[in-house]
């Protein structure tokens, strides 16, 4: 029997108090995600249950029980407290998918500080704009990433502490650097968890928009309510499950479901901190007897590409339920997994801003391959007319996906950017920035994004950020960045540039520019192709018309060109 039972029954008189009751929370109580994900599970008699099975390069393994997670997160919290870090301070977690990232996240929250996880492949520029916006007090990182932090010390006076989790302290550190060894530090059995309330800030995740700098999405501790219940009902996490969420906690899936949803449900989860290969992923499922798997379409398409023979080499019979998020899950991928893995991937739709799943396929509900499913109980979703913002009630008519604010994990603000935040709301609706239709059976079908943001392999990349970085290259005069179709990643970054006099277009320069962006921003933001142009298409007021370049890449009609310069 699945946790949700019947979706149709659940939506009838749904109330979030279901989750509050299960978590033993009453309005006005203290609520701290760090405590709920560790101390509470121990109090429920699961102190010795495995919380984390971690595997790194070369098959190195580490295991932590819920009691280990409880004590180690206390230890980290106390360490940060002794440094003078306090509630409300932003503490960045800038690490690979190592145990310190998962457990440190809870430690930061136990202290009442705000966890700011950032993808460890970010280059110094991507890192800097995000730290700058948040005026981050401390960063917890690894030796392999610290050089990126050191590069921006002069520009980051607010950054008082750089904490290395894998440093022996023997080599000299600069005066802002300290080191902390999670497994060897004196364990702190008891820590006074900061009395955070429902509206106390918890997590700050950065997400990219079409224009302007990345936006810091502020979440609060009350988000736990919907993260807990969606993990339970949609991912169907049960007592004996071994759960594997492949997302990196530098992105929202990796925290909402790779930490909070999993551990607040007392689930044993495993983490593979190596690159992708179909063989190593299947081997990991087999070895750990993974039963519940939450992944992303790009990974699924990569598995498909690796072929069906490789699947046969492994015993994947432990798998019980599969789900996906981050980008459109094409029908072929669902049909393939049903045929080859014996189970379909259940699509889920949500965003950094929504904090928890919004439109999903549920265990026990018929899957229509290619559909995102139906709104989670308690979520009021609508499709709005893009011009009037009126609700479209007839099926199969595309429009803007909108949600009535009020679910627990909804973002509470874009950090220091109230203006952009306010623009996300119209007539009492939160506008997701995506388009969809629903059919006569109430199933939702993704149509596309409503902006120029590039979704590459489930990661959002801002064309503005890449364009700005390109302009810092000595050879580039002008730049325009759009998505280009890609078989596996669905979209990849493509740049159009004009060159400054004296620079020669060619492959050597192309590679040099690509590398420049990879280092400055990240491998995700690196253009996969650079096209040299004599001029870029512009409006008469001088604005570059990305739309035309995008249409060219996708073989679409160029549309209205009346504002074109010439
Ligand atoms: O465009 C939608 C796409 O990813 C965006 C959210 O990205 P992010 O905030 O980084 O969060 C990703 C993980 C929650 C959405 O606005 N997206 C997400 N899920 C789906 C999707 N597009 C189609 N189908 C999905 N299931």
């Amino acid at each position: 029997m699945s946790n949700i039972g019947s979706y149709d029954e659940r939506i009838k008189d749904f109330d979030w108090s279901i989750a509050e009751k299960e978590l033993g929370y009453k309005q006005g109580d203290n609520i701290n995600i760090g405590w709920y994900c560790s101390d509470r599970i121990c109090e429920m008699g699961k102190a010795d249950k495995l919380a984390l099975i971690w595997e790194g390069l070369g098959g190195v393994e580490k295991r932590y029980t819920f009691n280990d997670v409880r004590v180690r997160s206390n230890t980290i919290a106390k360490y940060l407290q002794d440094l003078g870090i306090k509630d409300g301070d932003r503490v960045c977690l800038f690490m690979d998918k190592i145990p310190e990232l998962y457990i440190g996240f809870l430690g930061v929250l136990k202290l009442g500080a705000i966890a700011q996880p950032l993808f460890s492949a970010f280059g110094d520029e991507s890192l800097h704009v995000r730290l700058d916006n948040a005026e981050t007090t401390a960063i917890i990182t690894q030796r392999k990433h610290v050089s990126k932090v050191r590069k921006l010390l002069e520009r980051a006076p607010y950054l008082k502490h750089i904490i290395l989790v894998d440093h022996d302290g023997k080599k000299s550190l600069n005066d802002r650097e300290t080191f902390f060894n999670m497994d060897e530090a004196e364990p702190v059995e008891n820590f006074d968890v900061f009395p955070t309330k429902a509206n106390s800030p918890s997590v700050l995740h950065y997400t990219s928009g079409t224009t302007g700098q990345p936006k810091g999405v502020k979440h609060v501790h009350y988000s736990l309510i919907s993260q807990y219940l969606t993990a339970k009902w949609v991912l169907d996490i049960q007592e004996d499950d071994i759960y594997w969420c492949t997302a990196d906690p530098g992105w929202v899936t990796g925290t909402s479901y790779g930490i909070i949803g999993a551990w607040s449900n007392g689930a044993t989860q495993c983490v593979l901190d190596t690159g992708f290969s179909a063989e190593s992923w299947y081997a990991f499922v087999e070895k750990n007897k993974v039963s519940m798997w939450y992944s992303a379409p790009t990974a699924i398409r990569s598995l498909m590409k690796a072929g069906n023979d490789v699947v046969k080499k492994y015993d994947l019979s432990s798998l019980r339920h599969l789900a996906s998020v981050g980008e459109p899950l094409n029908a072929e991928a669902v049909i393939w997994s049903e045929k080859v893995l014996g189970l379909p991937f259940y699509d889920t739709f949500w965003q950094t801003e929504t904090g928890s799943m919004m439109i999903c396929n549920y265990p026990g509900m018929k899957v229509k391959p290619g559909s995102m499913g139906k709104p989670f109980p308690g979520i009021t979703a609508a499709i709005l007319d893009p011009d009037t913002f009126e609700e479209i009630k007839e099926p199969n008519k595309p429009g803007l996906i909108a949600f009535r604010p009020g679910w627990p994990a909804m973002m509470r603000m874009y950090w220091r950017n109230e203006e952009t935040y306010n623009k996300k709301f119209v007539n009492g609706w939160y506008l997701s920035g995506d388009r969809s239709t629903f059919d006569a059976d109430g199933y939702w079908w993704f149509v596309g994004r409503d902006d120029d943001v590039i979704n590459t392999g489930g990661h959002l990349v801002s064309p503005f950020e890449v364009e700005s970085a390109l302009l810092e290259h000595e050879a580039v005069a002008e730049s325009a960045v759009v998505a280009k179709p890609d078989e596996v990643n669905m979209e990849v970054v493509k740049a159009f540039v004009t060159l400054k006099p004296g620079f020669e277009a060619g492959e050597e320069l192309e590679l040099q520019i690509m590398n420049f962006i990879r280092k400055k921003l990240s491998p995700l933001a690196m253009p996969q192709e650079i096209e040299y142009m004599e001029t870029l298409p512009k409006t008469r007021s001088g604005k570059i018309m990305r739309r035309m370049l995008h249409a060219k890449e996708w073989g679409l009609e160029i549309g209205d060109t009346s504002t074109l310069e010439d």
Side-chain angles (χ1 to χ4, degrees):
M1 178 68 173
S2 66
N3 288 332
I4 189 170
S6 153
Y7 172 78
D8 292 330
E9 286 302 312
R10 289 290 196 188
I11 52 173
K12 278 189 192 152
D13 49 5
F14 178 85
D15 198 288
W16 291 106
S17 63
I18 298 174
E20 292 182 354
K21 277 198 199 103
E22 289 188 13
L23 291 165
Y25 166 84
K26 290 190 302 309
Q27 296 279 326
D29 283 355
N30 295 341
I31 177 170
N32 185 290
I33 291 173
W35 182 83
Y36 267 100
C37 290
S38 57
D39 299 62
R40 180 171 181 268
I41 306 299
C42 294
E43 284 181 10
M44 291 168 81
K46 298 184 197 171
D48 296 329
K49 182 177 174 178
L50 267 185
L52 179 65
I53 303 169
W54 174 88
E55 188 179 315
L57 279 178
V60 183
E61 216 187 68
K62 289 186 184 176
R63 290 172 177 242
Y64 298 86
T65 63
F66 275 100
N67 193 52
D68 294 334
V69 171
R70 183 187 71 80
V71 174
R72 280 169 172 75
S73 55
N74 283 348
T75 311
I76 294 173
K78 176 76 170 46
Y79 179 79
L80 296 173
Q81 191 173 51
D82 289 347
L83 285 178
I85 296 163
K86 53 181 195 326
D87 58 293
D89 286 347
R90 275 75 62 204
V91 177
C92 175
L93 299 135
F94 189 55
M95 288 171 267
D96 294 349
K97 292 194 278 180
I98 55 174
E100 286 83 347
L101 169 56
Y102 293 77
I103 300 172
F105 179 82
L106 300 188
V108 172
L109 297 180
K110 281 185 169 179
L111 181 60
I114 304 175
Q116 183 193 9
L118 290 177
F119 184 43
S120 64
F122 274 153
D124 55 301
E125 191 56 35
S126 291
L127 184 63
H128 182 243
V129 294
R130 288 158 178 84
L131 295 181
D132 220 30
N133 179 258
E135 294 184 313
T136 308
T137 304
I139 187 167
I140 309 178
T141 190
Q142 293 166 270
R143 270 183 302 178
K144 66 195 275 201
H145 299 302
V146 77
S147 61
K148 295 185 270 190
V149 183
R150 285 178 182 159
K151 261 195 195 167
L152 45 92
L153 283 184
E154 273 180 25
R155 294 186 288 159
Y158 41 81
L159 191 64
K160 303 232 161 51
H161 307 282
I162 298 155
I163 300 147
L164 287 142
V165 294
D166 56 355
H167 198 286
D168 57 12
K170 282 186 191 132
K171 266 203 211 138
S172 62
L173 302 168
N174 70 43
D175 58 1
R176 291 195 230 174
E177 291 172 356
T178 54
F179 62 97
F180 172 80
N181 184 318
M182 182 180 81
D183 292 326
E184 288 173 15
E186 182 70 31
V188 175
E189 272 297 324
N190 298 301
F191 179 80
D192 285 336
V193 173
F194 191 84
T196 42
K197 297 283 182 192
N199 282 327
S200 306
S202 54
V203 183
L204 191 60
H205 264 300
Y206 277 77
T207 186
S208 299
T210 312
T211 55
Q213 295 294 1
K215 297 164 285 184
V217 177
K218 185 179 100 175
H219 286 292
V220 295
H221 281 268
Y222 191 61
S223 70
L224 168 72
I225 301 297
S226 43
Q227 288 154 344
Y228 161 81
L229 197 66
T230 46
K232 182 167 179 183
W233 286 7
V234 183
L235 302 178
D236 199 40
I237 294 179
Q238 300 189 8
E239 183 54 32
D240 294 329
D241 269 321
I242 304 288
Y243 167 64
W244 183 22
C245 171
T246 61
D248 187 311
W251 311 101
V252 74
T253 307
T255 56
S256 289
Y257 296 99
I259 304 179
I260 307 171
W263 281 347
S264 62
N265 274 282
T268 299
Q269 63 162 333
C270 43
V271 169
L272 180 61
D273 184 24
T274 61
F276 173 86
S277 87
E279 297 253 356
S280 64
W281 275 35
Y282 291 137
F284 191 68
V285 169
E286 178 183 83
K287 178 173 162 197
N288 294 296
K289 299 199 168 36
V290 172
S291 53
M292 200 291 128
W293 196 8
Y294 195 26
S295 198
T298 290
I300 302 164
R301 286 190 291 269
S302 305
L303 294 176
M304 283 170 78
K305 216 173 161 202
N308 299 350
D309 286 344
V310 47
V311 180
K312 293 185 195 125
K313 295 205 287 192
Y314 298 91
D315 176 5
L316 306 178
S317 60
S318 56
L319 290 173
R320 183 178 71 75
H321 187 50
L322 318 177
S324 164
V325 65
E327 24 160 2
L329 180 65
N330 37 324
E332 298 76 28
V334 179
I335 294 163
W336 171 83
S337 81
E338 185 146 32
K339 193 169 140 226
V340 179
L341 303 176
L343 299 163
F345 270 92
Y346 283 61
D347 196 13
T348 65
F349 168 92
W350 56 291
Q351 308 177 296
T352 307
E353 285 88 341
T354 70
S356 62
M357 299 170 181
M358 302 301 279
I359 300 175
C360 317
N361 289 281
Y362 308 90
M365 189 177 92
K366 181 182 157 220
V367 172
K368 291 193 187 187
S371 160
M372 305 190 289
K374 298 184 179 186
F376 188 80
I379 299 294
T380 309
I383 296 199
L384 306 185
D385 182 292
D387 299 318
T388 64
F389 298 108
E390 293 297 324
E391 207 175 327
I392 298 176
K393 303 261 172 117
E394 311 97 281
N396 307 319
K397 278 202 161 174
L400 309 174
I401 304 179
F403 301 106
R404 275 273 181 243
W407 69 95
M410 173 62 179
M411 72 160 161
R412 300 306 155 96
M413 187 49 72
Y414 286 132
W415 196 260
R416 288 177 35 197
N417 196 348
E418 197 169 351
E419 196 188 335
T420 309
Y421 175 81
N422 289 337
K423 282 191 194 142
K424 295 293 285 186
F425 300 89
V426 176
N427 301 340
W429 291 103
Y430 160 72
L431 301 178
S432 71
D434 289 298
R435 291 179 186 233
S436 171
T437 61
F438 52 74
D439 67 18
D441 300 326
Y443 282 78
W444 290 56
W445 300 79
F446 188 76
V447 172
R449 284 188 64 92
D450 202 34
D451 60 19
D452 292 341
V453 170
I454 301 163
N455 187 335
T456 179
H459 299 110
L460 304 187
V461 172
S462 153
F464 170 80
E465 244 186 313
V466 185
E467 286 163 1
S468 309
L470 281 166
L471 295 182
E472 286 181 36
H473 190 279
E474 54 174 6
V476 177
E478 290 176 308
S479 66
V481 165
V482 299
K484 165 185 147 146
D486 183 80
E487 197 190 338
V488 172
N489 290 289
M490 208 71 142
E491 298 185 349
V492 290
V493 176
K494 170 156 183 187
F496 294 86
V497 298
T498 63
L499 296 181
K500 287 183 185 156
F503 288 93
E504 201 181 316
E507 204 173 314
E508 196 181 320
L509 182 62
E510 184 182 4
L511 290 177
Q512 203 196 83
I513 298 175
M514 284 175 172
N515 212 17
F516 178 78
I517 300 297
R518 184 179 61 80
K519 277 205 174 138
K520 224 176 177 32
L521 298 181
S522 78
L524 300 170
M526 184 185 85
Q528 300 293 314
E529 188 188 333
I530 295 175
E531 190 170 325
Y532 300 105
M533 309 274 280
E534 285 298 320
T535 55
L536 292 175
K538 289 197 203 94
T539 62
R540 278 184 217 113
S541 59
K543 204 166 162 266
I544 293 169
M545 287 180 87
R546 271 197 210 117
R547 185 169 51 83
M548 285 188 64
L549 298 167
H550 184 268
K552 172 172 153 334
E553 286 310 304
W554 293 77
L556 303 169
E557 290 282 324
I558 287 178
D560 182 13
T561 54
S562 57
T563 57
L564 195 63
E565 192 180 34
D566 53 44

